[in-house]
Amino acid sequence: MTELTLHINGEEHEVDVDPAKPLSAVIRDDIGLKGTKQGCSTGVCGACTVHIDGEAQKSCMQMVGGVIDDEIQTIEGLAEGEDLHPVQEGFVEEFGLQCGFCTPGFIMSATSLLEENSDPSEEEIKQAIHGNTCRCTGYTKIIDSIEYAADALNENESSETTSPSD
Ligand code: FES
Ligand code: FES
């Protein structure tokens, strides 16, 4: 066991763990952030997706000892107080989830996409979520949810850049 400091959602967390332990397991078991899910634990399903230095990555495939210098963001770090992130809102408004197990992973993949490309095509959305698996929804509503978020982000941006009319 080794004492490590992790940077998650803007806070420091001290953990005493095997540095080879998967990041997903540390996030859930040692830090207690249960929004990140573990499905396959083999890099296939995407349920464990988090941001590592802003990039969507499968946390079950990362040894925790390898990310001590990185900024990690989990699904719990997206909302600002009571205000959901537009991608979270999109999943609510467009019914992008059923059981919800896959949802945090999809949302982390989608937020990473929209940070780089705020107006993605349907093909670009499909590419961004190709590493995430959903057994319930059939994907159409997930794509609708991400398109909703892109529209909301672009509306916010254009209202911020419009000068007040008074
Ligand atoms: S739990 Fe990480 S990809 Fe499935
Ligand atoms: S909503 Fe159930 S696995 Fe996606």
Side-chain angles (χ1 to χ4, degrees), residues 8-126:
I8 302 181
N9 301 333
E11 291 179 5
E12 289 193 353
H13 295 269
E14 312 284 339
V15 289
D16 190 14
V17 293
D18 177 350
K21 188 169 178 176
L23 175 60
S24 53
V26 174
I27 287 171
R28 287 178 56 82
D29 303 341
D30 298 282
I31 297 174
L33 295 172
K34 304 285 189 182
T36 301
K37 305 302 182 198
Q38 285 190 115
C40 63
S41 298
T42 57
V44 176
C45 75
C48 64
T49 303
V50 299
H51 294 175
I52 300 177
D53 285 340
E55 193 180 322
Q57 297 209 27
K58 294 173 179 175
S59 59
C60 70
M61 301 303 286
Q62 298 286 336
M63 291 189 291
V64 67
V67 296
I68 52 173
D69 294 325
D70 299 323
E71 283 298 329
I72 298 159
Q73 188 178 37
T74 69
I75 188 78
E76 290 88 349
L78 285 187
E80 292 186 11
E82 297 291 304
D83 295 330
L84 293 179
H85 186 283
V87 177
Q88 293 173 307
E89 266 178 28
F91 274 72
V92 173
E93 296 296 328
E94 296 292 335
F95 305 100
L97 65 146
Q98 289 183 24
C99 80
F101 186 84
C102 69
T103 310
F106 273 97
I107 289 176
M108 297 314 283
S109 293
T111 49
S112 178
L113 166 69
L114 295 179
E115 275 161 26
E116 284 188 7
N117 176 3
S118 63
D119 190 20
S121 66
E122 186 173 329
E123 271 317 301
E124 287 170 328
I125 292 173
K126 285 181 181 171

